[in-house]
Short mmCIF file of all heavy atoms in Angstrom, two decimals:
data_model
loop_
_atom_site.label_atom_id
_atom_site.label_comp_id
_atom_site.label_asym_id
_atom_site.label_seq_id
_atom_site.Cartn_x
_atom_site.Cartn_y
_atom_site.Cartn_z
N ARG A 18 -12.39 -19.55 3.38
CA ARG A 18 -10.94 -19.23 3.35
C ARG A 18 -10.66 -18.05 4.27
O ARG A 18 -11.39 -17.10 4.41
CB ARG A 18 -10.64 -18.76 1.89
CG ARG A 18 -9.19 -18.45 1.72
CD ARG A 18 -8.96 -18.22 0.21
NE ARG A 18 -7.56 -17.85 0.04
CZ ARG A 18 -7.10 -16.80 -0.72
NH1 ARG A 18 -7.99 -16.14 -1.46
NH2 ARG A 18 -5.87 -16.51 -0.82
N ASN A 52 8.18 -13.98 9.49
CA ASN A 52 8.21 -15.37 9.06
C ASN A 52 8.35 -15.37 7.53
O ASN A 52 7.38 -15.20 6.81
CB ASN A 52 6.90 -16.04 9.51
CG ASN A 52 6.88 -17.51 9.06
OD1 ASN A 52 7.77 -17.99 8.44
ND2 ASN A 52 5.80 -18.23 9.42
N PRO A 53 9.53 -15.67 7.03
CA PRO A 53 9.68 -15.68 5.60
C PRO A 53 8.89 -16.77 4.86
O PRO A 53 8.55 -16.61 3.69
CB PRO A 53 11.17 -16.01 5.34
CG PRO A 53 11.72 -16.49 6.69
CD PRO A 53 10.77 -15.99 7.78
N GLN A 54 8.42 -17.76 5.59
CA GLN A 54 7.56 -18.80 4.97
C GLN A 54 6.17 -18.28 4.66
O GLN A 54 5.44 -18.83 3.87
CB GLN A 54 7.52 -20.01 5.88
CG GLN A 54 8.83 -20.75 5.97
CD GLN A 54 8.77 -21.88 6.95
OE1 GLN A 54 7.88 -21.95 7.80
NE2 GLN A 54 9.69 -22.82 6.74
N ALA A 55 5.81 -17.13 5.29
CA ALA A 55 4.45 -16.60 5.05
C ALA A 55 4.42 -15.75 3.78
O ALA A 55 3.30 -15.42 3.34
CB ALA A 55 4.05 -15.74 6.29
N VAL A 56 5.58 -15.40 3.21
CA VAL A 56 5.49 -14.48 2.04
C VAL A 56 4.70 -15.07 0.88
O VAL A 56 3.96 -14.35 0.23
CB VAL A 56 6.96 -14.17 1.64
CG1 VAL A 56 6.99 -13.39 0.33
CG2 VAL A 56 7.70 -13.38 2.70
N ASP A 57 4.80 -16.34 0.58
CA ASP A 57 4.05 -16.91 -0.56
C ASP A 57 2.59 -16.77 -0.40
O ASP A 57 1.87 -16.74 -1.40
CB ASP A 57 4.44 -18.33 -0.74
CG ASP A 57 5.83 -18.57 -1.33
OD1 ASP A 57 6.35 -17.59 -1.92
OD2 ASP A 57 6.41 -19.64 -1.13
N GLY A 58 2.08 -16.65 0.85
CA GLY A 58 0.61 -16.56 1.03
C GLY A 58 0.11 -15.12 1.23
O GLY A 58 -1.01 -14.90 1.51
N LEU A 59 0.98 -14.11 1.01
CA LEU A 59 0.55 -12.79 1.24
C LEU A 59 -0.54 -12.36 0.23
O LEU A 59 -0.40 -12.60 -1.00
CB LEU A 59 1.74 -11.82 1.07
CG LEU A 59 2.76 -11.81 2.11
CD1 LEU A 59 3.91 -10.85 1.79
CD2 LEU A 59 2.22 -11.45 3.48
N MET A 60 -1.61 -11.77 0.72
CA MET A 60 -2.66 -11.42 -0.16
C MET A 60 -2.28 -10.36 -1.15
O MET A 60 -2.86 -10.15 -2.21
CB MET A 60 -3.95 -10.96 0.66
CG MET A 60 -3.68 -9.82 1.54
SD MET A 60 -5.10 -9.51 2.60
CE MET A 60 -6.03 -8.31 1.59
N CYS A 61 -1.25 -9.56 -0.82
CA CYS A 61 -0.83 -8.47 -1.72
C CYS A 61 -0.16 -8.99 -2.98
O CYS A 61 0.11 -8.27 -3.92
CB CYS A 61 0.14 -7.55 -1.02
SG CYS A 61 -0.72 -6.57 0.33
N ARG A 62 0.07 -10.32 -3.02
CA ARG A 62 0.70 -10.92 -4.16
C ARG A 62 -0.30 -11.30 -5.25
O ARG A 62 0.09 -11.45 -6.43
CB ARG A 62 1.56 -12.10 -3.77
CG ARG A 62 2.72 -11.69 -2.91
CD ARG A 62 3.61 -12.84 -2.55
NE ARG A 62 4.19 -13.28 -3.86
CZ ARG A 62 5.20 -14.11 -3.93
NH1 ARG A 62 5.74 -14.57 -2.85
NH2 ARG A 62 5.70 -14.49 -5.08
N ASN A 63 -1.53 -11.48 -4.92
CA ASN A 63 -2.52 -11.91 -5.90
C ASN A 63 -3.89 -11.20 -5.79
O ASN A 63 -4.89 -11.67 -6.45
CB ASN A 63 -2.64 -13.41 -5.93
CG ASN A 63 -3.07 -13.94 -4.58
OD1 ASN A 63 -3.58 -13.27 -3.71
ND2 ASN A 63 -2.76 -15.25 -4.36
#
Side-chain angles (χ1 to χ4, degrees):
R18 184 171 176 224
N52 179 359
Q54 294 176 336
V56 172
D57 287 339
L59 289 177
M60 59 188 268
C61 293
R62 294 185 65 166
N63 57 19

